[in-house]
Amino acid sequence: MNGKPRKRLGELLIEQNLILPEHLEAALIRQKQTGRRLGQVLIEMGLISYEALTPVLSGQTGVPHVWLRKGLVDPKIVGILPREKAEAHGVMPMFKVRQTLTLGMANCDDLFVIDNIENLTGCRVQPVHCRRDDIATAIQQYYGGNIEMRGFLEGFHRNDADGPENRFEDLRMLDENAEGAPVINLVNLILIDAVKAGASDIHIEPDSRGSHVRYRVDGVLKEVMTPRGDLHGAAVSRIKVMSNMDIAEKRVPQDGRMHVRVERRKVDLRVSSMPTVEGEKIVIRLLDKGRLVLDIDRIGFHKETLRTMKGLLRRPHGILLVTGPTGSGKTTTLYCGLAFVNSVEKNIVTIEDPVEYRLEQINQIQVNTEQGLTFARTLRSVLRQDPDIVMVGEIRDRDTAEVAVQAALTGHLVLSTLHTNDSAGAIARLTEMGAEPYLLSSAIIAVLAQRLVRTVCPDCQTDDFPPRETLERIQWKGRDTAFVTGSGCDNCYGTGLRGRTGIYELLVADERVRQAILHDPSADSIRDAGRQGGMRTLRDEAFRLVEERKTSLEEVLRVVFLETQ
């Protein structure tokens, strides 16, 4: 054998001042009595932590170590090794690239086990060091999945996920498989698990090999299960029945609604089907009112911005716009604003497409373009109903923009949304629609641009030092700043991020901004006027959250910085 002989573990630990010589002597005595490995004995005696021991073991053996968690195991390849073999050897198949199987092992020196698994699987084994307890947990989760999932599914009752109150009366045309207990339970499991996970959307997608179920949690899609391909069609039919859609029609898109009851609360669901080359795809939007936060103090406003926003919402008339891409939380912000000003003394009306959440003491109207009930026409009718505050779901065309401006100029507070990248772009967009600048300069009181960023998981946060070239690219002044990031844990699905907060850019229409709208209503001109008045941009607010260690630099670069170059 070439090279120097490998040092013993005890010697390495003493050299690195992790244990004392007398600790090693005591541990060796205990090892002789128990027959266990030295590292395990040291941990049991409380002389060293697993976190401190693992890097030393990795350096001694030359085998990398990983924290075995969700996202590091491919469920599709777990079956390559029988469960009894995984338990007997204390190993966990993690993923396979071509003919190389990455294997989590507590004892990476056991060549007999490696040879045995290579013979069983026909793959070359690449060992990585993992904690023994983590391997046992992973075996229970991934190997128990198929068996326990079937039992779990069979344990669901139909009343755990109720369909709509107006069910079909004639069930003769339904596929028999769609009413089978396994399919009912599979759909129930997907819906209930998504609600408990805090998902905003469920994607059920077919492909040539089977079916995939993904949840959108905190704005990011995550695959959670891969049901058998032969269950996909039946599950789609079951969902379409529950949401009053036509299961016989598979060639055109359809929309439906239903609700489920989970943990004694009702969740509204919007269902959309879309034909693809592999079959029908289903997307379900979850509207969980129990998780909706309608408190303007709790959605991430900086204290100065919050104070200004509350003042704007108390104004008797004018237009307050909220801008941002789809999924940036615009509707939630408007709902929070309405909840803040809601009282028996005010007549508040909303015009939405669709009405996402039902709000008490507020008149909500669903537009219906097929029946001619557009935003503009509905807004004209609402103005005859003596409203104090009107929320228009979105200004999409010139007619709606003109009516909204007239409403603001005649003594009404109008709240609405636009799809623009920043606050200044909203006013430029309205002028492009045909709204007159001299009317906008009098009607607009403020524009709020916003984004949602994920916050660092509090259970696994740690320091992060980004590369120097990244800091130079964003012109960060503090070169040695310790940023915060998440290392990943079970509570955040291994992402290091959990929950979201808002980033806001508030452009108040002061005299500088009004003059810019009148004389040069371009986005650049209005943005410059806003900055002269003290406006903090999306980038400024994003970096403030980074400095306050609420989110990671990587997340900010993903959501905000690249959009505002």
Side-chain angles (χ1 to χ4, degrees):
M1 186 170 67
N2 297 327
K4 297 180 180 179
R6 194 170 70 186
K7 288 188 177 182
R8 295 179 178 272
L9 177 61
E11 297 175 9
L12 292 172
L13 294 174
I14 291 175
E15 285 181 2
Q16 297 183 31
N17 297 319
L18 294 173
I19 63 172
L20 298 174
E22 52 267 31
H23 293 160
L24 177 60
E25 293 178 8
L28 290 172
I29 294 173
R30 176 73 66 85
Q31 183 189 22
K32 290 180 181 179
Q33 295 172 345
T34 61
R36 297 180 181 178
R37 299 182 67 82
L38 178 60
Q40 187 176 358
V41 171
L42 288 167
I43 293 173
E44 291 174 352
M45 294 177 67
L47 298 175
I48 195 172
S49 67
Y50 179 80
E51 289 74 14
L53 176 64
T54 300
V56 181
L57 284 172
S58 179
Q60 182 197 34
T61 61
V63 176
H65 67 89
V66 298
W67 305 107
L68 195 57
R69 59 182 186 270
K70 290 181 181 179
L72 288 183
V73 176
D74 183 356
K76 301 183 186 69
I77 62 93
V78 167
I80 197 172
L81 186 68
R83 175 173 182 160
E84 56 271 19
K85 291 293 185 180
E87 290 181 328
H89 296 315
V91 299
M92 182 66 204
M94 296 173 62
F95 49 88
K96 183 164 78 86
V97 178
R98 295 184 177 87
Q99 288 305 113
T100 299
L101 174 66
T102 298
L103 188 71
M105 303 180 66
N107 179 14
C108 296
D109 284 342
D110 199 329
L111 299 180
F112 170 78
V113 169
I114 293 175
D115 289 341
N116 189 9
I117 293 174
E118 286 183 337
N119 291 331
L120 284 172
T121 63
C123 297
R124 187 180 73 86
V125 168
Q126 173 65 54
V128 293
H129 186 78
C130 299
R131 190 167 63 171
R132 192 178 303 274
D133 291 345
D134 291 346
I135 291 174
T137 300
I139 291 173
Q140 180 65 28
Q141 288 177 341
Y142 289 93
Y143 279 100
N146 293 335
I147 299 173
E148 294 175 4
M149 183 68 75
R150 288 196 293 269
F152 189 49
L153 290 173
E154 295 296 334
F156 276 97
H157 301 289
R158 293 185 62 150
N159 59 3
D160 284 334
D162 299 331
E165 295 165 356
N166 53 339
R167 286 189 174 279
F168 286 178
E169 295 180 1
D170 183 7
L171 302 180
R172 289 174 297 177
M173 63 185 295
L174 301 181
D175 292 340
E176 292 182 3
N177 286 340
E179 289 298 316
V183 174
I184 291 175
N185 290 332
L186 173 63
V187 172
N188 287 353
L189 170 63
I190 292 171
L191 297 179
I192 293 171
D193 185 53
V195 172
K196 291 182 177 179
S200 61
D201 300 87
I202 304 169
H203 292 240
I204 303 174
E205 306 161 313
D207 68 13
S208 58
R209 295 171 295 177
S211 184
H212 300 270
V213 178
R214 297 189 291 170
Y215 299 161
R216 188 178 295 279
V217 180
D218 293 335
V220 178
L221 283 170
K222 307 175 188 300
E223 184 169 272
V224 293
M225 63 179 78
T226 54
R228 299 196 318 264
D230 59 335
L231 291 176
H232 180 81
V236 168
S237 294
R238 171 64 180 168
I239 293 169
K240 292 171 76 172
V241 168
M242 295 174 68
S243 52
N244 276 348
M245 297 159 67
D246 184 0
I247 69 168
E249 181 56 76
K250 304 178 185 296
R251 297 165 299 177
V252 297
Q254 297 186 62
D255 296 306
R257 295 183 75 107
M258 62 171 161
H259 68 260
V260 296
R261 289 186 178 90
V262 179
E263 296 177 341
R264 298 185 178 181
R265 71 179 189 268
K266 180 179 173 181
V267 181
D268 292 325
L269 308 176
R270 293 210 312 264
V271 184
S272 171
S273 71
M274 178 68 67
T276 73
V277 293
E278 299 291 350
E280 285 187 281
K281 173 180 176 176
I282 294 286
V283 176
I284 304 173
R285 169 65 59 87
L286 286 79
L287 304 172
D288 186 357
K289 193 170 182 178
R291 298 178 64 91
L292 180 65
V293 178
L294 292 183
D295 186 349
I296 198 170
D297 294 313
R298 296 173 55 195
I299 58 175
F301 279 116
H302 187 266
K303 59 182 180 180
E304 295 178 3
T305 307
L306 177 62
R307 182 170 58 251
T308 304
M309 273 294 295
K310 288 182 176 180
L312 293 167
L313 290 167
R314 294 190 184 101
R315 298 274 288 270
H317 54 80
I319 297 178
L320 173 58
L321 294 174
V322 180
T323 75
T326 300
S328 60
K330 299 185 298 295
T331 301
T332 299
T333 299
L334 289 179
Y335 280 171
C336 288
L338 293 178
F340 173 71
V341 297
N342 191 12
S343 73
V344 295
E345 299 172 351
K346 294 184 182 296
N347 177 19
I348 302 176
V349 183
T350 72
I351 308 169
E352 304 175 63
D353 183 24
V355 175
E356 296 194 359
Y357 294 97
R358 306 295 171 85
L359 305 176
E360 295 182 4
Q361 207 171 277
I362 292 177
N363 306 286
Q364 295 175 269
I365 301 171
Q366 169 82 50
V367 301
N368 188 337
T369 54
E370 293 181 359
Q371 301 296 323
L373 196 64
T374 62
F375 277 112
R377 182 176 180 180
T378 306
L379 181 55
R380 288 190 181 96
S381 299
V382 165
L383 294 178
R384 304 188 190 102
Q385 293 276 311
D386 186 32
D388 296 295
I389 301 173
V390 180
M391 186 190 98
V392 181
E394 182 183 354
I395 296 179
R396 298 176 178 174
D397 51 46
R398 177 175 181 173
D399 287 345
T400 308
E402 289 180 346
V403 178
V405 170
Q406 290 299 326
L409 294 175
T410 54
H412 305 88
L413 181 62
V414 180
L415 312 180
S416 191
T417 70
L418 275 175
H419 287 89
T420 59
N421 288 330
D422 60 7
S423 55
I427 299 174
R429 178 68 54 82
L430 289 175
T431 60
E432 292 168 1
M433 287 183 183
E436 294 292 343
Y438 74 93
L439 294 177
L440 289 177
S441 66
S442 300
I444 297 288
I445 59 174
V447 183
L448 179 75
Q450 69 177 69
R451 299 291 187 276
L452 291 177
V453 295
R454 293 177 293 173
T455 52
V456 173
C457 175
D459 297 318
C460 62
Q461 71 174 24
T462 184
D463 286 343
D464 177 39
F465 294 90
R468 180 175 295 274
E469 53 268 23
T470 300
L471 298 179
E472 291 175 350
R473 180 166 62 91
I474 63 176
Q475 299 176 353
W476 191 272
K477 296 179 180 179
R479 299 298 185 192
D480 299 324
T481 303
F483 296 88
V484 68
T485 189
S487 59
C489 64
D490 289 345
N491 294 326
C492 59
Y493 294 91
T495 64
L497 300 162
R498 188 174 69 189
R500 289 192 290 179
T501 190
I503 297 177
Y504 303 96
E505 173 185 288
L506 183 59
L507 172 68
V508 178
D510 59 14
E511 187 59 30
R512 293 187 186 89
V513 173
R514 294 187 190 281
Q515 290 300 317
I517 296 173
L518 277 172
H519 299 103
D520 181 12
S522 65
D524 290 339
S525 172
I526 296 169
R527 187 181 302 110
D528 290 341
R531 286 175 173 170
Q532 291 173 18
M535 180 185 74
R536 291 178 59 85
T537 65
L538 286 169
R539 175 178 170 172
D540 295 334
E541 287 297 293
F543 284 164
R544 177 182 62 80
L545 288 182
V546 172
E547 291 172 348
E548 294 175 355
R549 298 176 64 83
K550 293 180 179 178
T551 190
S552 67
L553 181 62
E554 181 182 7
E555 175 70 1
V556 161
L557 294 177
R558 181 184 72 87
V559 175
V560 176
F561 185 75
L562 295 180
E563 294 184 1
T564 57
Q565 289 286 327

